[in-house]
Amino acid sequence: MNPLARLPSVDRLLSHPAVASLIDIHGRASMTGIVREILAATREAVKGGAQLPDEASLLEKVGAGATALATPKLRPVLNLTGTVLHTNLGRASLPDEAVEALVQAARNPCALEYDLASGARGDRDDIVNELLCELTGAEAATVVNNNAAAVFLLLNTLAAKKQVIVSRGELIEIGGAFRVPDIMSRAGAKLVEVGTTNRTHLTDFAENITPRTAMLMKVHASNYAIHGFTHVVPESELANLAHQHGLPFVIDLGSGTLTDLTKWNLPHEPTPADAIAAGADLVTFSGDKLLGGPQAGLLVGRKELIARIKKNPLKRALRVGKVTLAALEAVLRLYRNPDRLHLRLSSLRQLTRPEAEIHGVATRLLSALQTALVTLPVNVEIVSLKSQIGSGSLPVDRLPSAGFAIRPQSKIGGVLNRIEAALRAVDYPARPIIGRIEDGALLLDLRCLEPNDEAEFSASLAALRFTR
Ligand SMILES: *Cc1c(COP(=O)(O)O)cnc(C)c1O
């Protein structure tokens, strides 16, 4: 007799009590799809000579299929890469104040575009306008989806069919297809590049101003630095030159911290307030880089220019939602008290974490990691490491940190890649651990493993499975 005849039918499996409860959770259509797939794969396997599985093992597979279905795609992970603002891992982690605010906004109706004083229709930018003006010295502000959108909207509003003068040294590419020349042409503006890669002078700008010039622009080099025989024109000189010709001077600042980072011994990063004080008419920056908030693009500057930008119909296409605004407002409020910022703003707390404290985390967790890897031919030790800030901020500067180095005991390769893959593959709800392989070692930088995450680290180790 054909063994396949004894395989249960789709209906029989679906009406099993164990599957019926899964149907309650996941829906009949999804569970039917899973059961069909499992039966089809089983049929192929049996035709190929495999033994016919019993009903219990089929039900186990159905259960596993349902679990996979319920696992979110957007998994929380432990960022042990050593890059604090890791774009691929979602950049800044939000402080509790922001998380609470965004949950409230998500769950409830809120006064997003509603003026509670008059009962009239409001403007969603008003939620953060005052805070942004206070923190940057600007006259007005507006918010869009990210800084790329901010730059695009600004160029499209003020420079469509006109020329924008930028130094050749600033025609940068930010990871993930943000290239200044491409954004410029998509926004309908004509790029006029002046100077050379390493040196640009005020005369380079002055000689290229024509009746078709819309603005002078400066772009923060962000993710690269040039050293040696270099010259950039000071912002105040560019502002003066622009204003003599009745033109705006705009700066794409990239990562926009709103406070002086040097007071925490971090490298200097120009602030929007510096830019406005130097005479910039408009400044754009990201919400989720050094600022430590949600993904957003912030535009601050002269009232009249911001008003024009807000009237561009594309503003409607690029605007942010209530959840983003709630988180952004909460984060901006923290900047009102810079003295406590390094305790309250998650990203800054991580960036300013002393090496000795990170070393302490490593000491606490070493034996757990060694135990988890005990069957593998590797040595685990605590090492000093260098973290990076990330997101194109301060590309050259490194922060002294600590963590684990996992090294193979022999030259026979592959074991590090196996561990790295297993750390990534832990089952939900444990968090995948993301490290980095460098110079023959798998490194786990513990800077971003905060006290609340230490139990998560242990849970991830407990969920580790090594294939083969
Ligand atoms: C990061 C960056 C951008 C893009 O900002 P997003 O918020 O990622 O869209 C644009 N310009 C500069 C100079 C940057 O550093």
Side-chain angles (χ1 to χ4, degrees):
M1 178 183 149
N2 179 1
L4 285 175
R6 280 185 286 128
L7 199 63
S9 69
V10 171
D11 284 343
R12 184 182 154 84
L13 284 179
L14 284 176
S15 55
H16 191 282
V19 180
S21 67
L22 293 174
I23 290 174
D24 269 352
I25 303 169
H26 304 290
R28 176 165 294 273
S30 315
M31 290 315 300
T32 307
I34 288 173
V35 166
R36 284 217 172 97
E37 259 175 46
I38 288 166
L39 288 176
T42 306
R43 241 176 255 121
E44 286 308 306
V46 170
K47 278 186 205 156
Q51 233 187 343
L52 189 76
D54 60 13
E55 193 165 280
S57 80
L58 287 172
L59 287 170
E60 200 176 301
K61 281 189 181 159
V62 175
T67 304
L69 199 70
T71 300
K73 273 275 188 193
L74 191 55
R75 292 269 299 275
V77 303
L78 295 172
N79 172 14
L80 306 192
T81 60
T83 301
V84 177
L85 300 168
H86 198 301
T87 296
N88 303 139
L89 302 181
R91 292 193 183 158
S93 299
L94 292 178
D96 291 344
E97 288 87 343
V99 173
E100 276 153 32
L102 75 83
V103 168
Q104 287 293 337
R107 214 172 248 159
N108 304 299
C110 55
L112 177 63
E113 289 186 347
Y114 186 81
D115 181 19
L116 287 170
S118 65
R121 190 196 160 132
D123 174 349
R124 66 180 66 202
D125 284 337
D126 285 349
I127 293 164
V128 289
N129 184 65
E130 214 177 284
L131 272 161
L132 280 169
C133 292
E134 180 186 315
L135 294 165
T136 63
E139 293 171 4
T142 183
V143 186
V144 288
N145 183 50
N146 54 24
N147 189 33
V151 175
F152 177 82
L153 187 61
L154 146 81
L155 291 170
N156 182 264
T157 309
L158 303 177
K161 302 203 179 88
K162 289 185 157 179
Q163 299 176 344
V164 177
I165 308 181
V166 187
S167 160
R168 284 205 168 83
E170 297 172 1
L171 298 178
I172 52 163
E173 173 181 307
I174 312 280
F178 177 91
R179 287 177 150 195
V180 171
D182 295 347
I183 292 279
M184 194 81 74
S185 66
R186 287 289 173 153
K190 169 110 179 52
L191 171 66
V192 177
E193 29 182 303
V194 300
T196 60
T197 305
N198 57 330
R199 291 174 71 85
T200 302
H201 304 279
L202 193 64
T203 49
D204 294 322
F205 285 89
E207 285 164 5
N208 282 284
I209 293 176
T210 72
R212 293 194 54 213
T213 304
M215 63 175 70
L216 306 189
M217 183 171 189
K218 182 176 173 67
V219 182
H220 189 290
S222 297
N223 52 7
Y224 91 114
I226 46 172
H227 295 281
F229 189 55
T230 64
H231 187 260
V232 294
V233 187
E235 286 162 9
S236 54
E237 290 180 27
L238 281 175
N240 280 339
L241 178 64
H243 298 159
Q244 279 163 25
H245 290 83
L247 297 171
F249 170 50
V250 310
I251 304 182
D252 171 13
L253 211 50
S255 198
T257 171
L258 292 169
T259 184
D260 178 12
L261 294 177
T262 57
K263 65 171 167 262
W264 294 286
N265 289 325
L266 289 168
H268 175 74
E269 177 73 16
T271 62
D274 296 337
I276 297 284
D281 300 289
L282 277 174
V283 184
T284 76
F285 50 102
S286 290
D288 55 352
K289 292 183 178 175
L290 278 173
L291 195 143
Q295 179 188 306
L298 312 177
L299 288 125
V300 302
R302 284 199 1 237
K303 207 172 193 148
E304 174 261 328
L305 296 175
I306 294 286
R308 278 172 66 193
I309 285 169
K310 288 173 71 152
K311 282 203 198 97
N312 187 330
L314 283 168
K315 166 64 170 47
R316 176 66 172 72
L318 300 172
R319 75 182 185 185
V320 291
K322 62 177 184 170
V323 174
T324 299
L325 279 168
L328 183 61
E329 181 188 7
V331 167
L332 292 175
R333 274 180 199 286
L334 297 182
Y335 277 90
R336 281 191 167 147
N337 183 1
D339 294 338
R340 295 185 55 78
L341 197 63
H342 64 293
L343 302 173
R344 297 168 77 191
L345 188 65
S346 315
S347 51
L348 190 61
R349 192 171 60 233
Q350 292 168 357
L351 289 170
T352 55
R353 218 172 168 198
E355 185 183 355
E357 188 188 311
I358 307 170
H359 208 276
V361 181
T363 311
R364 282 197 290 284
L365 298 176
L366 176 65
S367 70
L369 182 61
Q370 283 173 328
T371 307
L373 301 179
V374 72
T375 57
L376 297 164
V378 291
N379 296 324
V380 184
E381 57 172 348
I382 296 176
V383 289
S384 292
L385 294 170
K386 297 269 186 231
S387 314
Q388 311 191 37
I389 295 172
S391 275
S393 311
L394 313 157
V396 205
D397 300 288
R398 293 288 182 274
L399 311 170
S401 184
F404 300 120
I406 304 168
R407 291 198 179 84
Q409 283 162 357
S410 71
K411 287 245 170 328
I412 308 161
V415 67
L416 288 189
N417 291 323
R418 259 180 79 204
I419 298 173
E420 189 268 341
L423 290 171
R424 268 190 285 119
V426 299
D427 279 339
Y428 184 77
R431 297 192 195 172
I433 296 174
I434 317 292
R436 70 180 198 268
I437 292 182
E438 198 175 281
D439 298 334
L442 172 54
L443 304 177
L444 304 180
D445 185 319
L446 297 172
R447 170 175 298 279
C448 297
L449 197 82
E450 297 204 77
N452 288 342
D453 301 325
E454 289 183 26
E456 291 290 346
F457 183 78
S458 304
S460 297
L461 292 182
L464 265 186
R465 302 276 172 272
F466 295 103
T467 46
R468 217 164 32 105

